[in-house]
Amino acid sequence: SFLALVRQQLDAQGIRYEYLDGATNDRAERVARFQSDESIKLFLISLKAGGVGLNLTAAQYVFLLDPWWNPAAEAQAIDRTHRIGQTRSVFAFRLIAKGTVEEKIAAMQEQKRGLADAILSADNAILRALTADDLNDLLS
């Protein structure tokens, strides 16, 4: 995965970081170390592993390197840094290379976000323009 490639580069450059993915057993220890050790500036977290139970008020920047088809999952990942106790501004960035699957995922996210917003806001003009394909995309 892309996160593993980033990890390899950090190791090669001797940069300290914490790492969390689905195989991590000591989640609380890694979070505590990131929160308390100011020499650790990076916390690499897979989107799925970081989706639940994290409070990362030591974080100031969030970089989404490997987008997920569900924009709510990405929003939840960013929200991990916007918790009670956060005293700094948090900046979130999505890094997407042109001509990649990730670019297509980002386009699909935007389409789903627009359709969901239209349904939730009951924007009749947009709702009238929905096609069966739009509804299938939204529900798939």
Side-chain angles (χ1 to χ4, degrees):
S1 75
F2 190 62
L3 198 59
L5 295 174
V6 172
R7 189 177 193 183
Q8 289 173 357
Q9 288 299 311
L10 294 174
D11 288 341
Q13 296 179 36
I15 296 173
R16 293 186 68 202
Y17 62 91
E18 281 299 329
Y19 185 88
L20 177 67
D21 67 13
T24 303
N25 293 321
D26 55 348
R27 289 172 54 99
E29 181 181 322
R30 291 177 188 244
V31 170
R33 194 167 29 239
F34 175 74
Q35 292 286 99
S36 63
D37 187 341
E38 292 186 18
S39 70
I40 299 174
K41 303 289 186 190
L42 297 169
F43 198 161
L44 304 177
I45 305 171
S46 71
L47 197 57
K48 286 185 178 182
V52 176
L54 295 182
N55 185 2
L56 301 174
T57 58
Q60 191 171 2
Y61 296 91
V62 177
F63 294 92
L64 298 169
L65 304 176
D66 200 3
W68 190 245
W69 66 270
N70 182 351
E74 289 187 357
Q76 186 177 42
I78 294 167
D79 289 345
R80 300 289 144 218
T81 61
H82 290 285
R83 296 292 192 212
I84 294 171
Q86 178 59 274
T87 60
R88 300 175 286 183
S89 296
V90 175
F91 302 92
F93 300 92
R94 285 176 175 83
L95 302 179
I96 300 171
K98 270 184 106 62
T100 62
V101 170
E102 287 79 11
E103 184 180 38
K104 292 176 184 175
I105 290 171
M108 185 170 49
Q109 283 180 335
E110 191 58 38
Q111 179 186 17
K112 285 183 182 244
R113 187 177 293 113
L115 289 170
D117 288 347
I119 290 169
L120 294 175
S121 68
D123 184 338
N124 291 333
I126 294 174
L127 289 175
R128 278 193 293 271
L130 286 178
T131 66
D133 287 340
D134 291 334
L135 290 174
N136 281 332
D137 284 344
L138 181 62
L139 298 174
S140 65

